[in-house]
Amino acid sequence: MTEQPRHPSIGATSEPGSGSMSGPGSGPIDGPRSGPIDGPTDGPIGGLEFAAALRAAIRARGLGLERIRDHLRARGDSVSLATLSYWQSGRSRPERRESLVALAQLELVLEVPPGSLSGLLGPPRRRGRWLSRVPSAPEIAAFWPKPEAVDEAVSAVDTRWDERLTRISQHDQVFISADGGERSYLSRQVLRAEADGPDRWVVIMHLDEHDRPLPTIRPLQHCHLGRIVHRPEAGLLVAELLFDRPLLRGETVITEHELVNIAPYPPSTNYERKFRLPVREFALEVHFDPAAIPARCERFSRLDGDDEIVQQVTVDAYSVHGVALNFGPGRYGFRWSFSA
């Protein structure tokens, strides 16, 4: 959600969970996002050599990550603490254009020869058929109102498999109570592994109002809870949904989970799903109680870098729905008003 008075916007960070798994799927589909901020490393060549050199340069310079971040900001490059931590640990490496620009500034901050760190990265990683058509995917926190808060919360979970999971289908259902409050959300994902190893899917939820309890997350099918990060002061909930077992390349998994608010339910006027990377099919339904039918409702979508598209819709049989194909990066949702 992106409107008043509160906004549960949901993002798919990496979202695997124990799921019904099948053999290799068919069709040229690609999808979710990968590693924490850039891409996970693929072995000692490039990624880990870079991480080791970066750690050595940081030790030699005698600066903490916060000081390094401040130096980069002063030079006009905003890099979160989580990103710097991922780079030096080898968990991810700079690959996006903006990250490579920041890396050049980082070499100056660390007083190492220009190109001495970037030269250790090697060629960019391949990311799968669909993702290769998204040459500059947004950062994980790109669509969130406070990116640094999201980066900090996400740094506590494992997002390394994000880009190795193709989002084949995402189906969200939102349930609005008789008093117009957000009662619950039900999500179903169909994912396919593009490499051996994916074993989880990470859910991010943000609430505009920070004075209400965060919702409870419940695994329903083919997943169970891993690490959960609560940041009530920032309205953030981040959770890992773990699969029954790691997927092999080409295997698919179907997971379901729900987010349930605590009564009295917070008032609701909108819902949106954020996609950092494309999804082949996204279906969104909003179900209203017969005692609380909106006077007005609109569907909106916005692809990264484009203007928002808005369409007025009619509430039929107490619900509205929308379907988007090959959508993202971007956001998609509904807004409604109970007053004429």
Side-chain angles (χ1 to χ4, degrees):
M1 306 185 183
T2 308
E3 245 188 26
Q4 321 236 358
R6 151 189 176 109
H7 132 118
S9 50
I10 295 185
T13 293
S14 161
E15 304 175 31
S18 299
S20 79
M21 305 171 189
S22 77
S26 62
I29 311 163
D30 275 304
R33 56 167 232 186
S34 144
I37 299 298
D38 286 290
T41 57
D42 286 331
I45 302 301
L48 295 184
E49 286 186 357
F50 166 79
L54 177 58
R55 290 194 299 271
I58 291 174
R59 284 196 300 270
R61 185 72 169 86
L63 295 176
L65 294 185
E66 289 190 9
R67 291 285 308 281
I68 292 173
R69 178 196 61 185
D70 294 342
H71 278 291
L72 290 172
R73 278 182 178 170
R75 293 172 177 270
D77 285 290
S78 180
V79 179
S80 71
L81 290 177
T83 300
L84 293 171
S85 176
Y86 293 150
W87 289 356
Q88 73 163 356
S89 68
R91 186 173 172 184
S92 72
R93 65 183 188 179
E95 290 186 347
R96 318 294 180 197
R97 180 185 60 80
E98 60 270 24
S99 296
L100 295 175
V101 170
L103 179 58
Q105 295 298 319
L106 179 59
E107 290 174 338
L108 296 176
V109 170
L110 297 177
E111 298 179 352
V112 298
S116 60
L117 294 176
S118 59
L120 297 174
L121 291 174
R125 295 178 306 107
R126 293 177 60 84
R127 285 183 169 75
R129 297 179 296 279
W130 192 353
L131 291 176
S132 65
R133 299 200 294 270
V134 187
S136 183
E139 304 269 347
I140 279 180
F143 297 126
W144 302 92
K146 294 184 178 180
E148 286 201 354
V150 174
D151 278 342
E152 186 277 328
V154 169
S155 69
V157 299
D158 185 353
T159 61
R160 72 183 124 159
W161 297 112
D162 207 30
E163 285 180 5
R164 304 306 180 90
L165 284 164
T166 289
R167 290 185 177 111
I168 297 175
S169 177
Q170 173 82 41
H171 185 185
D172 289 353
Q173 296 187 69
V174 185
F175 297 90
I176 306 301
S177 64
D179 61 359
E182 303 158 358
R183 194 174 77 231
S184 62
Y185 321 92
L186 177 65
S187 289
R188 175 182 180 272
Q189 296 84 26
V190 181
L191 307 167
R192 188 178 71 190
E194 301 302 332
D196 293 345
D199 63 352
R200 70 197 63 206
W201 174 257
V202 175
V203 176
I204 304 174
M205 178 147 198
H206 174 260
L207 305 177
D208 280 344
E209 294 182 348
H210 302 168
D211 60 344
R212 297 183 182 272
L214 293 172
T216 299
I217 184 167
R218 295 175 180 169
L220 298 179
Q221 286 193 27
H222 308 307
C223 58
H224 58 277
L225 286 175
R227 284 168 287 190
I228 303 176
V229 181
H230 295 90
R231 296 290 185 269
E233 71 283 358
L236 278 171
L237 170 68
V238 177
E240 296 176 332
L241 296 178
L242 305 178
F243 300 150
D244 291 333
R245 61 170 173 81
L247 299 176
L248 298 176
R249 181 177 181 180
E251 287 188 321
T252 55
V253 60
I254 301 174
T255 71
E256 284 190 16
H257 68 276
E258 67 176 344
L259 290 153
V260 181
N261 278 313
I262 300 171
Y265 305 121
S268 173
T269 57
N270 56 84
Y271 175 95
E272 76 174 25
R273 165 75 66 171
K274 305 176 191 297
F275 291 97
R276 176 176 173 262
L277 292 172
V279 60
R280 181 160 188 177
E281 176 200 62
F282 175 53
L284 172 58
E285 298 178 79
V286 183
H287 302 277
F288 299 98
D289 189 279
I293 302 300
R296 298 190 310 274
C297 187
E298 66 182 25
R299 181 171 56 238
F300 66 92
S301 63
R302 183 172 186 173
L303 291 170
D304 187 32
D306 291 349
D307 293 333
E308 184 175 89
I309 298 173
V310 178
Q311 181 180 2
Q312 299 299 314
V313 297
T314 301
V315 179
D316 293 321
Y318 314 124
S319 69
V320 293
H321 81 273
V323 177
L325 301 178
N326 298 324
F327 183 82
R331 58 189 75 192
Y332 186 102
F334 284 96
R335 303 186 188 103
W336 56 89
S337 172
F338 294 103
S339 60

